[in-house]
Amino acid sequence: MADETNDFHLSCPVPITQYPHVVMAHGGGGRLMNQLIDRMFVAAFGNPALEERHDGARLDPEGRQLAFSTDSYVVRPLFFPGSDIGAMAVNGTVNDLAMCGARPRWLSAGFIIEEGLPMETLWRVVQSMREAAAAAGVQIVTGDTKVVDKGKGDGLYINTAGVGVIETGFLIRPASVRPGDAVLLSGDVGRHGMAIMSVREGLDFESPITSDCAPLAAMVLDLLGAGIEVRCLRDLTRGGLAAALNEIATVARVQIDIEEAAVPVTDPVRGACEILGLDPFYVANEGRLVAFVPAEQARQALTVMQRHDPGRNACRIGVVKTEFPERVTLRSRIGASRILDLLSGEQLPRIC
Amino acid sequence: MADETNDFHLSCPVPITQYPHVVMAHGGGGRLMNQLIDRMFVAAFGNPALEERHDGARLDPEGRQLAFSTDSYVVRPLFFPGSDIGAMAVNGTVNDLAMCGARPRWLSAGFIIEEGLPMETLWRVVQSMREAAAAAGVQIVTGDTKVVDKGKGDGLYINTAGVGVIETGFLIRPASVRPGDAVLLSGDVGRHGMAIMSVREGLDFESPITSDCAPLAAMVLDLLGAGIEVRCLRDLTRGGLAAALNEIATVARVQIDIEEAAVPVTDPVRGACEILGLDPFYVANEGRLVAFVPAEQARQALTVMQRHDPGRNACRIGVVKTEFPERVTLRSRIGASRILDLLSGEQLPRIC
């Protein structure tokens, strides 16, 4: 997200008189590509690894085990209330690493740019990535730039891969989930997807819905630092809460039983979902997670999560059971129980 | 490259009766995406890290320093003589890691698939990646799948990022290049770009030109194992030999003086370049490198390189000088010298 008070917000560092838009040659391995890399990417992300202009970066994990993850970002539109593709590309991979119990350290960035993208647009995205990286404490140490023909892209796709240092002896993964574990949720669900939807469809809600896009690593590291025996973590991106819980229930071969009323959904998100016939449990988030922890540590874990901005409204939403393995069950206010299944696809495409 | 004798070459593991083409839901975080990941990607790349189906993979670098690199592949067409986008996506990142003096170990794979891509095409690419990974000794341990709307992609883009373990105490990088160093080239140049060009433009040369796409890590590790004090390595992808040498000359602030006649170019490539008005020194390769080594070790280094298939025709092509810093000079057969400059873009777009 652009912070207009930041000194770095100068005008676009690539001369835009001659090339106001990205041309094929910006991905061609010649002078124009070198100029773009030096003046824009290295200038924005600057660190010794990147400045060496070598084929790869050197990392020193100091003998620790690592987590490694990747995600491509194809969100449409590139900018939306509360965030943009650049911040998402950093936070998304930061969060994937955090879900492994790792401190995110190093990112790669691969840009696939459609010929004709305004250079100023690219610059806004790069600045947003720079700020998100600084906020999450990661360095963008290596990258790649490709330009594809006009009409053969959608403005900009970004891939990030990340390496983080694992800071726990616990194996944080679906297979570690145990019957009786408490299911904690870090906050309200459905905001990212509905923020995208509102822009894309030109919907005008009374209260604008903003994306929840945020880095979750500090909260996770704080949980581990507090001695919480975290069994599994999952951020609630594509497919939302329902997909995350179903994947964990399947791999761990357990039942996950959720109390429907315990899952926070803001009024604007609930209203927008009702109008559009969507279920907020299936809508993507970019700054929310579920944590599976031993029941006796649930209260302490919530206190830790609530100290962090993206965990301010953290709450306990359910419990791990054994009666219906590989099923996610939803208990309603009046005690009825139904299955929260996976959809075959998604309600909203291209939201991440 | 597909090896038709390989037992793994079964029919497409995703049922194609119902979905013969990729649909948006294959990237939607629901049942169809899970099916695609499980039956195609995990089945093909299968390893414990991937099978855990977690947000990231766990790596154990055993206390070593690492190299980290990324590349996106947007080559058009997806299949061409001698290779395809899948083998390129593996070998390209393997080679970038090797250029850092690292043994490539772990790859991520990010797929951006255009809605409508035939499922069989995706399967051919995945099999090719699997074989290339096995040949290069790397594991594909984490990945991501996105589907973009029909018309908003070009069939398939692939990003790979890689982590390798650095196996040398030398700092292999442009800044380590010294005056007097010998410049070695691992083989003939221009084949990859001209192979792509011949398919794309429907050109029918007498002898078909095949891509030189190949993994270079074994050759590099053998050089280091033989005690060659490798100063810098660079693979000759976008912009070809000319771009690689110019980038090194600029960063190292040296002159690189090349003997034009010493650079091998096959007759078919030379002929095709002449017809099309292209210069083979600027054409991309996917299995060629330049190595800068101390002059006194040049002969030994060539012997090591020639033991490896992609280095069979390795030769000495020039020397590092100081007279014209940041310049690449080309000496012709009759002794005239000219500057081998960077182009502003590239001669052929979308060749990698």
Side-chain angles (χ1 to χ4, degrees), chain B residues 223-304:
Chain B
L223 279 173
L224 295 171
I228 306 295
E229 196 182 321
V230 177
R231 300 276 165 73
C232 185
L233 296 164
R234 187 62 63 107
D235 56 343
L236 312 180
T237 55
R238 270 182 297 183
L241 177 67
L245 294 177
N246 268 284
E247 282 170 33
I248 293 168
T250 304
V251 176
R253 300 185 178 188
V254 295
Q255 174 191 358
I256 301 175
D257 190 39
I258 301 296
E259 205 177 312
E260 189 165 8
V263 177
V265 180
T266 65
D267 285 341
V269 167
R270 194 179 297 283
C273 279
E274 272 171 15
I275 292 168
L276 297 164
L278 301 172
D279 182 338
F281 283 31
Y282 292 89
V283 175
N285 311 275
E286 288 291 332
R288 293 290 176 261
L289 60 78
V290 283
F292 289 72
V293 302
E296 62 277 14
Q297 291 191 307
R299 188 185 291 263
Q300 189 199 347
L302 285 176
T303 307
V304 172

Coordinates of all heavy atoms in Angstrom, one line a residue, chain B residues 223-304:
Chain B
L223 N 34.1 -28.5 -12.4 CA 35.2 -27.5 -12.5 C 35.7 -27.1 -11.1 O 36.9 -27.0 -10.8 CB 34.7 -26.2 -13.2 CG 34.6 -26.1 -14.7 CD1 33.9 -24.9 -15.1 CD2 36.0 -26.2 -15.3
L224 N 34.7 -26.9 -10.2 CA 35.1 -26.5 -8.8 C 35.8 -27.7 -8.1 O 36.8 -27.5 -7.4 CB 33.8 -26.1 -8.1 CG 33.1 -24.9 -8.6 CD1 31.7 -24.7 -7.9 CD2 34.0 -23.6 -8.4
G225 N 35.3 -28.9 -8.4 CA 35.9 -30.1 -7.8 C 37.3 -30.3 -8.2 O 38.1 -30.8 -7.5
A226 N 37.6 -29.8 -9.4 CA 39.0 -30.0 -10.0 C 39.9 -28.9 -9.5 O 41.1 -28.8 -9.9 CB 38.9 -30.0 -11.5
G227 N 39.4 -28.0 -8.6 CA 40.2 -27.0 -8.1 C 40.4 -25.7 -9.0 O 41.3 -24.9 -8.7
I228 N 39.6 -25.6 -10.0 CA 39.7 -24.4 -10.9 C 39.2 -23.2 -10.1 O 38.1 -23.3 -9.5 CB 38.8 -24.6 -12.2 CG1 39.2 -25.9 -12.9 CG2 38.9 -23.4 -13.0 CD1 40.6 -25.9 -13.5
E229 N 39.9 -22.2 -10.0 CA 39.5 -21.0 -9.3 C 38.6 -20.1 -10.1 O 39.0 -19.1 -10.7 CB 40.8 -20.2 -8.9 CG 40.6 -19.2 -7.8 CD 41.8 -18.3 -7.6 OE1 42.9 -18.9 -7.6 OE2 41.7 -17.1 -7.4
V230 N 37.4 -20.6 -10.3 CA 36.4 -19.9 -11.2 C 36.1 -18.5 -10.7 O 35.7 -18.4 -9.5 CB 35.1 -20.8 -11.3 CG1 34.1 -20.1 -12.1 CG2 35.4 -22.2 -11.8
R231 N 36.3 -17.5 -11.5 CA 36.0 -16.2 -11.1 C 34.6 -15.7 -11.3 O 34.0 -15.1 -10.5 CB 37.0 -15.2 -11.9 CG 38.4 -15.5 -11.7 CD 39.0 -14.8 -10.5 NE 40.2 -15.3 -10.0 CZ 41.4 -15.1 -10.6 NH1 41.5 -14.3 -11.7 NH2 42.5 -15.5 -10.1
C232 N 34.1 -16.1 -12.5 CA 32.7 -15.7 -12.8 C 32.1 -16.7 -13.8 O 32.9 -17.2 -14.6 CB 32.6 -14.3 -13.4 SG 31.0 -13.7 -13.7
L233 N 30.8 -17.0 -13.7 CA 30.1 -17.8 -14.6 C 28.9 -17.1 -15.1 O 28.3 -16.4 -14.3 CB 29.7 -19.1 -14.0 CG 30.8 -20.0 -13.5 CD1 30.2 -21.1 -12.5 CD2 31.4 -20.8 -14.6
R234 N 28.5 -17.3 -16.3 CA 27.2 -16.6 -16.7 C 26.6 -17.5 -17.9 O 27.3 -17.9 -18.8 CB 27.5 -15.2 -17.3 CG 26.2 -14.4 -17.6 CD 25.3 -14.1 -16.4 NE 25.9 -13.3 -15.3 CZ 25.6 -12.1 -15.1 NH1 24.7 -11.4 -15.8 NH2 26.2 -11.4 -14.0
D235 N 25.3 -17.8 -17.7 CA 24.7 -18.6 -18.9 C 24.2 -17.6 -19.9 O 23.9 -16.4 -19.6 CB 23.7 -19.6 -18.4 CG 22.6 -19.0 -17.6 OD1 22.7 -17.8 -17.1 OD2 21.5 -19.6 -17.4
L236 N 24.2 -18.0 -21.1 CA 24.0 -17.1 -22.2 C 22.6 -17.1 -22.7 O 22.3 -17.4 -23.9 CB 24.9 -17.5 -23.4 CG 26.4 -17.7 -23.0 CD1 27.2 -18.1 -24.2 CD2 27.0 -16.5 -22.2
T237 N 21.6 -16.7 -21.9 CA 20.2 -16.7 -22.3 C 19.9 -15.4 -23.0 O 20.5 -15.1 -24.0 CB 19.4 -16.9 -21.0 OG1 19.6 -16.0 -20.0 CG2 19.7 -18.3 -20.4
R238 N 18.8 -14.7 -22.6 CA 18.4 -13.5 -23.3 C 19.5 -12.6 -23.6 O 20.3 -12.2 -22.8 CB 17.4 -12.7 -22.5 CG 16.0 -13.1 -22.7 CD 15.1 -12.2 -21.8 NE 15.3 -12.4 -20.4 CZ 14.6 -11.8 -19.5 NH1 13.7 -11.0 -19.8 NH2 14.9 -12.0 -18.2
G239 N 19.6 -12.2 -24.9 CA 20.7 -11.2 -25.3 C 21.9 -12.0 -25.7 O 22.9 -11.4 -26.2
G240 N 22.0 -13.3 -25.5 CA 23.1 -14.2 -25.9 C 24.4 -13.8 -25.3 O 24.5 -13.2 -24.2
L241 N 25.5 -14.3 -26.1 CA 26.8 -14.1 -25.6 C 27.1 -12.6 -25.4 O 27.8 -12.2 -24.4 CB 27.8 -14.6 -26.7 CG 29.3 -14.5 -26.5 CD1 29.7 -15.3 -25.3 CD2 30.1 -14.9 -27.7
A242 N 26.6 -11.7 -26.3 CA 26.9 -10.3 -26.2 C 26.4 -9.7 -24.9 O 27.1 -8.9 -24.3 CB 26.3 -9.6 -27.4
A243 N 25.2 -10.0 -24.5 CA 24.6 -9.4 -23.3 C 25.4 -9.9 -22.1 O 25.7 -9.1 -21.2 CB 23.1 -9.8 -23.2
A244 N 25.7 -11.2 -22.0 CA 26.4 -11.7 -20.9 C 27.7 -11.1 -20.7 O 28.1 -10.6 -19.6 CB 26.6 -13.3 -21.0
L245 N 28.5 -11.0 -21.8 CA 29.8 -10.3 -21.7 C 29.7 -8.9 -21.3 O 30.5 -8.4 -20.5 CB 30.6 -10.5 -23.0 CG 30.9 -12.0 -23.4 CD1 31.6 -12.0 -24.7 CD2 31.8 -12.6 -22.3
N246 N 28.8 -8.2 -21.9 CA 28.6 -6.7 -21.6 C 28.3 -6.5 -20.1 O 28.8 -5.6 -19.5 CB 27.6 -6.1 -22.5 CG 28.2 -5.5 -23.7 OD1 28.8 -4.4 -23.7 ND2 28.1 -6.2 -24.9
E247 N 27.4 -7.3 -19.6 CA 27.0 -7.2 -18.2 C 28.2 -7.4 -17.3 O 28.4 -6.6 -16.3 CB 25.9 -8.1 -17.8 CG 24.5 -7.7 -18.3 CD 23.4 -8.7 -18.2 OE1 23.5 -9.5 -17.2 OE2 22.5 -8.7 -19.1
I248 N 29.0 -8.4 -17.6 CA 30.2 -8.7 -16.8 C 31.2 -7.6 -16.9 O 31.7 -7.1 -15.9 CB 30.8 -10.1 -17.1 CG1 29.8 -11.2 -16.7 CG2 32.1 -10.3 -16.4 CD1 30.1 -12.5 -17.3
A249 N 31.4 -7.1 -18.1 CA 32.4 -6.0 -18.3 C 32.0 -4.8 -17.6 O 32.9 -4.1 -17.0 CB 32.5 -5.7 -19.8
T250 N 30.7 -4.5 -17.5 CA 30.2 -3.3 -16.9 C 30.4 -3.4 -15.3 O 30.9 -2.5 -14.7 CB 28.7 -3.1 -17.2 OG1 28.6 -3.0 -18.6 CG2 28.2 -1.8 -16.5
V251 N 29.9 -4.5 -14.8 CA 30.0 -4.7 -13.3 C 31.5 -4.8 -12.9 O 31.9 -4.2 -11.9 CB 29.2 -5.9 -12.8 CG1 29.4 -6.1 -11.3 CG2 27.7 -5.7 -13.2
A252 N 32.3 -5.6 -13.6 CA 33.7 -5.8 -13.2 C 34.6 -4.6 -13.6 O 35.8 -4.6 -13.2 CB 34.2 -7.1 -13.8
R253 N 34.1 -3.7 -14.4 CA 34.8 -2.5 -14.9 C 36.1 -3.0 -15.6 O 37.2 -2.5 -15.4 CB 35.2 -1.6 -13.8 CG 33.9 -1.1 -13.2 CD 34.0 0.0 -12.2 NE 32.7 0.3 -11.8 CZ 32.4 1.4 -11.0 NH1 33.3 2.1 -10.6 NH2 31.1 1.6 -10.7
V254 N 36.0 -4.0 -16.5 CA 37.1 -4.4 -17.3 C 36.8 -4.4 -18.8 O 35.6 -4.3 -19.1 CB 37.5 -5.9 -16.9 CG1 38.0 -5.9 -15.5 CG2 36.3 -6.8 -17.1
Q255 N 37.8 -4.6 -19.6 CA 37.5 -4.9 -21.0 C 37.5 -6.4 -21.2 O 38.4 -7.1 -20.7 CB 38.6 -4.2 -21.8 CG 38.6 -4.5 -23.3 CD 39.8 -4.1 -24.1 OE1 40.7 -3.5 -23.5 NE2 39.9 -4.4 -25.4
I256 N 36.6 -6.9 -22.0 CA 36.6 -8.3 -22.4 C 36.9 -8.3 -23.9 O 36.1 -7.8 -24.7 CB 35.3 -9.0 -22.0 CG1 35.1 -8.9 -20.5 CG2 35.4 -10.5 -22.5 CD1 33.7 -9.5 -20.1
D257 N 38.0 -9.0 -24.3 CA 38.5 -9.0 -25.6 C 38.2 -10.4 -26.2 O 38.8 -11.3 -25.7 CB 39.9 -8.6 -25.7 CG 40.4 -8.3 -27.1 OD1 39.6 -7.7 -27.9 OD2 41.5 -8.7 -27.5
I258 N 37.4 -10.5 -27.2 CA 37.0 -11.8 -27.8 C 37.5 -11.9 -29.2 O 37.5 -11.0 -30.0 CB 35.4 -11.9 -27.8 CG1 34.8 -11.7 -26.4 CG2 35.0 -13.2 -28.5 CD1 35.2 -12.8 -25.4
E259 N 38.0 -13.1 -29.5 CA 38.5 -13.4 -30.8 C 37.3 -14.0 -31.6 O 36.8 -15.1 -31.3 CB 39.6 -14.5 -30.7 CG 40.5 -14.5 -31.9 CD 41.6 -15.6 -31.6 OE1 42.2 -15.6 -30.5 OE2 41.9 -16.4 -32.5
E260 N 36.8 -13.2 -32.5 CA 35.5 -13.6 -33.2 C 35.5 -15.0 -33.8 O 34.6 -15.7 -33.6 CB 35.3 -12.6 -34.3 CG 33.9 -12.7 -34.9 CD 33.5 -11.5 -35.8 OE1 34.4 -10.6 -36.0 OE2 32.4 -11.4 -36.2
A261 N 36.6 -15.4 -34.4 CA 36.7 -16.7 -35.1 C 36.7 -17.8 -34.1 O 36.4 -19.0 -34.5 CB 37.9 -16.8 -36.0
A262 N 37.0 -17.5 -32.8 CA 37.1 -18.6 -31.8 C 35.7 -19.0 -31.3 O 35.6 -20.1 -30.7 CB 38.0 -18.2 -30.7
V263 N 34.7 -18.2 -31.6 CA 33.3 -18.5 -31.1 C 32.6 -19.5 -32.0 O 32.3 -19.1 -33.2 CB 32.5 -17.2 -30.9 CG1 31.1 -17.5 -30.5 CG2 33.2 -16.2 -30.0
P264 N 32.3 -20.7 -31.6 CA 31.7 -21.7 -32.5 C 30.2 -21.3 -32.8 O 29.5 -21.0 -31.9 CB 31.8 -23.0 -31.7 CG 32.5 -22.7 -30.5 CD 32.5 -21.3 -30.2
V265 N 29.9 -21.4 -34.1 CA 28.5 -21.2 -34.6 C 28.4 -22.3 -35.6 O 29.2 -22.4 -36.5 CB 28.3 -19.8 -35.2 CG1 26.9 -19.7 -35.7 CG2 28.7 -18.7 -34.2
T266 N 27.3 -23.1 -35.5 CA 27.2 -24.2 -36.5 C 26.7 -23.6 -37.8 O 26.2 -22.5 -37.9 CB 26.1 -25.2 -36.0 OG1 24.8 -24.6 -36.0 CG2 26.4 -25.8 -34.6
D267 N 27.0 -24.4 -38.9 CA 26.6 -23.9 -40.2 C 25.1 -23.6 -40.3 O 24.7 -22.6 -40.8 CB 27.1 -24.9 -41.3 CG 28.6 -24.8 -41.5 OD1 29.2 -23.8 -41.1 OD2 29.2 -25.8 -42.0
P268 N 24.2 -24.5 -39.8 CA 22.8 -24.2 -39.9 C 22.4 -22.9 -39.2 O 21.6 -22.1 -39.7 CB 22.1 -25.4 -39.3 CG 23.1 -26.5 -39.3 CD 24.4 -25.9 -39.3
V269 N 23.0 -22.7 -38.0 CA 22.6 -21.5 -37.3 C 23.2 -20.3 -38.0 O 22.5 -19.2 -38.2 CB 23.2 -21.5 -35.8 CG1 23.2 -20.1 -35.2 CG2 22.4 -22.5 -35.0
R270 N 24.4 -20.4 -38.5 CA 25.0 -19.2 -39.3 C 24.1 -18.9 -40.5 O 23.8 -17.8 -40.8 CB 26.4 -19.5 -39.7 CG 27.2 -18.3 -40.2 CD 28.7 -18.7 -40.5 NE 29.4 -19.1 -39.4 CZ 29.9 -18.3 -38.4 NH1 29.7 -17.0 -38.5 NH2 30.6 -18.8 -37.4
G271 N 23.7 -20.0 -41.2 CA 22.9 -19.8 -42.4 C 21.6 -19.2 -42.1 O 21.2 -18.2 -42.8
A272 N 20.9 -19.7 -41.1 CA 19.6 -19.1 -40.7 C 19.7 -17.7 -40.3 O 18.9 -16.8 -40.6 CB 19.0 -20.0 -39.6
C273 N 20.8 -17.4 -39.5 CA 21.0 -16.0 -39.1 C 21.2 -15.1 -40.3 O 20.7 -14.0 -40.3 CB 22.2 -15.9 -38.1 SG 21.8 -16.4 -36.4
E274 N 22.0 -15.6 -41.2 CA 22.2 -14.7 -42.4 C 20.9 -14.4 -43.2 O 20.7 -13.3 -43.5 CB 23.3 -15.4 -43.4 CG 24.7 -15.1 -43.0 CD 25.7 -15.9 -43.7 OE1 25.4 -16.5 -44.7 OE2 26.9 -15.9 -43.2
I275 N 20.1 -15.5 -43.4 CA 18.9 -15.3 -44.1 C 18.0 -14.3 -43.4 O 17.4 -13.4 -44.0 CB 18.1 -16.6 -44.2 CG1 18.8 -17.6 -45.1 CG2 16.7 -16.4 -44.7 CD1 18.3 -19.1 -45.0
L276 N 18.0 -14.4 -42.0 CA 17.0 -13.5 -41.3 C 17.7 -12.2 -40.8 O 17.0 -11.4 -40.1 CB 16.5 -14.3 -40.1 CG 15.7 -15.5 -40.4 CD1 15.6 -16.5 -39.2 CD2 14.3 -15.1 -40.9
G277 N 18.9 -12.0 -41.1 CA 19.6 -10.7 -40.7 C 19.8 -10.6 -39.2 O 19.7 -9.6 -38.6
L278 N 20.1 -11.8 -38.6 CA 20.4 -11.8 -37.2 C 21.8 -12.1 -36.9 O 22.5 -12.7 -37.7 CB 19.5 -12.9 -36.5 CG 18.0 -12.7 -36.7 CD1 17.3 -14.0 -36.1 CD2 17.5 -11.5 -36.0
D279 N 22.3 -11.7 -35.7 CA 23.7 -11.9 -35.3 C 23.7 -13.0 -34.2 O 23.1 -12.8 -33.2 CB 24.3 -10.6 -34.8 CG 25.7 -10.7 -34.4 OD1 26.2 -11.9 -34.1 OD2 26.4 -9.7 -34.3
P280 N 24.3 -14.1 -34.5 CA 24.3 -15.2 -33.5 C 24.8 -14.9 -32.2 O 24.5 -15.5 -31.2 CB 25.1 -16.4 -34.2 CG 25.9 -15.7 -35.3 CD 25.1 -14.5 -35.7
F281 N 25.7 -13.8 -32.1 CA 26.2 -13.4 -30.8 C 25.2 -12.9 -29.9 O 25.4 -12.7 -28.7 CB 27.4 -12.4 -31.0 CG 28.7 -13.0 -31.5 CD1 28.7 -14.2 -32.3 CD2 29.9 -12.5 -31.1 CE1 29.9 -14.7 -32.7 CE2 31.1 -13.0 -31.5 CZ 31.1 -14.2 -32.4
Y282 N 24.0 -12.5 -30.5 CA 23.0 -11.9 -29.7 C 21.8 -12.8 -29.5 O 20.8 -12.5 -28.9 CB 22.4 -10.6 -30.3 CG 23.4 -9.4 -30.3 CD1 24.3 -9.3 -31.4 CD2 23.5 -8.5 -29.3 CE1 25.3 -8.2 -31.4 CE2 24.4 -7.5 -29.3 CZ 25.3 -7.4 -30.3 OH 26.2 -6.3 -30.3
V283 N 21.9 -14.0 -30.0 CA 20.8 -15.0 -30.0 C 20.9 -15.8 -28.7 O 21.9 -16.2 -28.3 CB 20.8 -15.9 -31.2 CG1 19.7 -16.9 -31.1 CG2 20.6 -15.0 -32.5
A284 N 19.7 -16.0 -28.1 CA 19.6 -16.7 -26.8 C 20.0 -18.2 -26.9 O 19.7 -18.8 -27.9 CB 18.2 -16.6 -26.2
N285 N 20.7 -18.7 -25.8 CA 21.0 -20.1 -25.7 C 20.4 -20.5 -24.3 O 20.1 -19.7 -23.5 CB 22.5 -20.3 -25.6 CG 23.2 -19.5 -26.7 OD1 23.4 -20.0 -27.8 ND2 23.6 -18.2 -26.4
E286 N 20.2 -21.8 -24.2 CA 19.6 -22.3 -22.9 C 20.5 -23.4 -22.3 O 20.1 -24.1 -21.3 CB 18.2 -22.9 -23.1 CG 17.2 -21.7 -23.3 CD 17.0 -20.9 -22.0 OE1 17.1 -21.4 -20.9 OE2 16.6 -19.7 -22.2
G287 N 21.7 -23.6 -22.9 CA 22.6 -24.6 -22.3 C 24.1 -24.3 -22.6 O 24.9 -25.1 -22.8
R288 N 24.4 -23.0 -22.5 CA 25.7 -22.5 -22.8 C 26.1 -21.5 -21.7 O 25.3 -20.8 -21.2 CB 25.8 -21.8 -24.1 CG 25.5 -22.6 -25.3 CD 26.7 -23.6 -25.6 NE 26.4 -24.5 -26.7 CZ 26.0 -25.7 -26.5 NH1 25.8 -26.2 -25.3 NH2 25.8 -26.5 -27.6
L289 N 27.4 -21.5 -21.4 CA 27.9 -20.6 -20.4 C 29.3 -20.0 -20.8 O 30.0 -20.6 -21.6 CB 28.0 -21.3 -19.0 CG 28.9 -22.5 -18.8 CD1 30.4 -22.1 -18.7 CD2 28.6 -23.2 -17.5
V290 N 29.6 -18.9 -20.2 CA 31.0 -18.4 -20.3 C 31.6 -18.6 -18.9 O 30.8 -18.4 -17.9 CB 31.2 -17.0 -20.7 CG1 31.0 -16.9 -22.2 CG2 30.2 -16.0 -20.0
A291 N 32.8 -19.0 -18.8 CA 33.5 -19.1 -17.5 C 34.8 -18.2 -17.6 O 35.5 -18.3 -18.6 CB 33.9 -20.5 -17.3
F292 N 35.0 -17.4 -16.5 CA 36.2 -16.7 -16.4 C 37.1 -17.4 -15.4 O 36.7 -17.6 -14.2 CB 35.9 -15.2 -15.9 CG 35.2 -14.4 -17.0 CD1 33.9 -14.7 -17.3 CD2 35.9 -13.4 -17.6 CE1 33.2 -13.9 -18.3 CE2 35.3 -12.6 -18.6 CZ 33.9 -12.9 -18.9
V293 N 38.3 -17.8 -15.9 CA 39.2 -18.5 -15.0 C 40.6 -17.9 -15.1 O 40.9 -17.3 -16.1 CB 39.2 -20.0 -15.3 CG1 37.8 -20.6 -15.2 CG2 39.8 -20.3 -16.7
P294 N 41.5 -18.1 -14.1 CA 42.9 -17.7 -14.3 C 43.5 -18.3 -15.5 O 43.3 -19.5 -15.8 CB 43.6 -18.2 -13.0 CG 42.4 -18.4 -12.0 CD 41.3 -18.8 -12.9
A295 N 44.3 -17.5 -16.3 CA 44.8 -18.0 -17.5 C 45.6 -19.3 -17.4 O 45.5 -20.2 -18.2 CB 45.8 -16.9 -18.1
E296 N 46.3 -19.4 -16.3 CA 47.1 -20.6 -16.1 C 46.3 -21.9 -15.9 O 46.8 -23.0 -16.0 CB 48.2 -20.5 -15.0 CG 47.6 -20.2 -13.6 CD 47.2 -18.7 -13.3 OE1 47.1 -17.9 -14.3 OE2 47.0 -18.4 -12.2
Q297 N 45.0 -21.7 -15.6 CA 44.1 -22.9 -15.4 C 43.2 -23.1 -16.6 O 42.4 -24.1 -16.5 CB 43.3 -22.7 -14.1 CG 44.1 -22.8 -12.8 CD 43.2 -22.8 -11.6 OE1 42.3 -22.0 -11.5 NE2 43.4 -23.8 -10.8
A298 N 43.3 -22.3 -17.6 CA 42.4 -22.4 -18.7 C 42.4 -23.8 -19.4 O 41.3 -24.4 -19.7 CB 42.7 -21.3 -19.7
R299 N 43.6 -24.3 -19.7 CA 43.7 -25.6 -20.4 C 43.0 -26.7 -19.6 O 42.2 -27.5 -20.1 CB 45.1 -25.9 -20.7 CG 45.3 -27.1 -21.6 CD 46.8 -27.4 -21.7 NE 47.5 -26.4 -22.5 CZ 47.7 -26.5 -23.8 NH1 47.3 -27.6 -24.5 NH2 48.4 -25.6 -24.4
Q300 N 43.3 -26.7 -18.3 CA 42.8 -27.7 -17.4 C 41.2 -27.6 -17.3 O 40.5 -28.6 -17.4 CB 43.4 -27.6 -16.0 CG 43.0 -28.8 -15.1 CD 43.2 -28.4 -13.6 OE1 43.8 -27.4 -13.2 NE2 42.7 -29.3 -12.7
A301 N 40.8 -26.4 -17.2 CA 39.3 -26.1 -17.1 C 38.6 -26.6 -18.4 O 37.6 -27.2 -18.3 CB 39.1 -24.6 -16.9
L302 N 39.2 -26.4 -19.6 CA 38.6 -26.8 -20.8 C 38.5 -28.4 -20.8 O 37.5 -28.9 -21.3 CB 39.4 -26.4 -22.0 CG 39.3 -24.9 -22.3 CD1 40.2 -24.5 -23.5 CD2 37.8 -24.5 -22.7
T303 N 39.6 -29.0 -20.4 CA 39.5 -30.5 -20.3 C 38.4 -31.0 -19.5 O 37.7 -31.9 -19.9 CB 40.9 -31.0 -19.7 OG1 41.9 -30.4 -20.5 CG2 40.9 -32.5 -19.8
V304 N 38.2 -30.4 -18.3 CA 37.0 -30.7 -17.5 C 35.7 -30.5 -18.2 O 34.8 -31.3 -18.2 CB 37.1 -29.9 -16.1 CG1 35.8 -30.2 -15.3 CG2 38.3 -30.3 -15.3

